[in-house]
């Protein structure tokens, strides 16, 4: 039994309260970047995998992309892969939960820019679908209206 009560101010030992950067700092007394103990990172891999197994079993995603500061730890993603395969224990017959785990659970291909670029892509798709709101100025409607080529 883990004696750590978690770091989430709302739920204590929820997934975020056990596996986030704040949780690592609360548990070990220093920022995640300063934690060097392999056992600490093994526990982190286990908690991340427990949450991901729940997501996989409930939502059946085509791919799981995980990023953020904690995932910058060398070897952590590989530890998460091992833990997921062990926890699933063949429960679902799928190659992605065995030999294909490294392509099924992966870091974002765009690295740290993924969140910002994803938000921009979402906004662009909304504009393509719904059009620009008529009551809002467009960037090209603001400021100097003179054509700079003239």
């Amino acid at each position: 039994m883990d004696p750590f009560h978690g770091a989430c101010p709302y739920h204590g030992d929820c997934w975020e309260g056990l596996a986030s950067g704040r949780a690592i700092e609360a548990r070990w007394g220093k920022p995640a970047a300063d934690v060097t103990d392999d056992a600490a990172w093994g526990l982190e891999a286990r908690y991340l995998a427990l949450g991901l197994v729940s997501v996989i079993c409930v939502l059946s995603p085509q791919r799981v992309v995980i990023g953020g500061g904690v995932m910058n730890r060398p070897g952590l993603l590989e530890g998460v892969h091992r833990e997921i395969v062990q926890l699933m224990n063949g429960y679902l017959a799928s190659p992605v939960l065995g030999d294909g785990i490294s392509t099924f659970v992966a870091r974002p291909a765009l690295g740290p820019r993924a969140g910002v670029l994803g938000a921009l892509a979402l906004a662009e798709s909304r504009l393509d679908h719904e059009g620009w709101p008529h009551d809002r100025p467009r960037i090209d409607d603001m400021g100097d209206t003179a054509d700079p080529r003239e």
Side-chain angles (χ1 to χ4, degrees), residues 41-42 44-50 52-53 66 71 75-87 101 105:
W41 289 106
E44 179 69 11
R46 180 72 171 188
Y47 278 132
L48 288 169
L50 284 165
L52 290 173
V53 164
I66 52 176
M71 292 309 301
L76 179 59
L77 183 59
E78 294 77 13
V80 171
H81 291 156
R82 284 190 299 276
E83 291 288 337
I84 289 171
V85 171
Q86 180 186 1
L87 288 164
I101 191 73
V105 178

Side-chain angles (χ1 to χ4, degrees), residues 51-114:
L52 290 173
V53 164
S54 296
V55 168
I56 291 164
C57 289
V58 171
L59 300 176
S60 190
Q62 292 179 346
R63 176 169 286 168
V64 177
V65 178
I66 52 176
V70 171
M71 292 309 301
N72 290 331
R73 173 71 183 184
L76 179 59
L77 183 59
E78 294 77 13
V80 171
H81 291 156
R82 284 190 299 276
E83 291 288 337
I84 289 171
V85 171
Q86 180 186 1
L87 288 164
M88 292 301 293
N89 195 29
Y91 179 70
L92 298 174
S94 174
V96 299
L97 295 173
D99 293 341
I101 191 73
S102 64
T103 57
F104 180 61
V105 178
R107 286 186 181 89
L110 297 172
R113 299 177 307 156

Side-chain angles (χ1 to χ4, degrees), residues 110-144:
L110 297 172
R113 299 177 307 156
V116 171
L117 293 176
L120 289 170
L122 184 61
E124 182 180 43
S125 70
R126 180 171 180 229
L127 290 175
D128 288 345
H129 179 69
E130 298 178 17
W132 189 266
H134 297 291
D135 62 337
R136 306 272 177 165
R138 295 181 64 101
I139 290 191
D140 55 353
D141 293 338
M142 296 180 180
D144 187 9

Side-chain angles (χ1 to χ4, degrees), residues 23-41:
I24 293 170
E25 186 168 354
R27 179 190 293 270
W28 304 109
K30 52 188 162 184
D34 296 338
V35 175
T36 58
D37 183 12
D38 288 340
W41 289 106

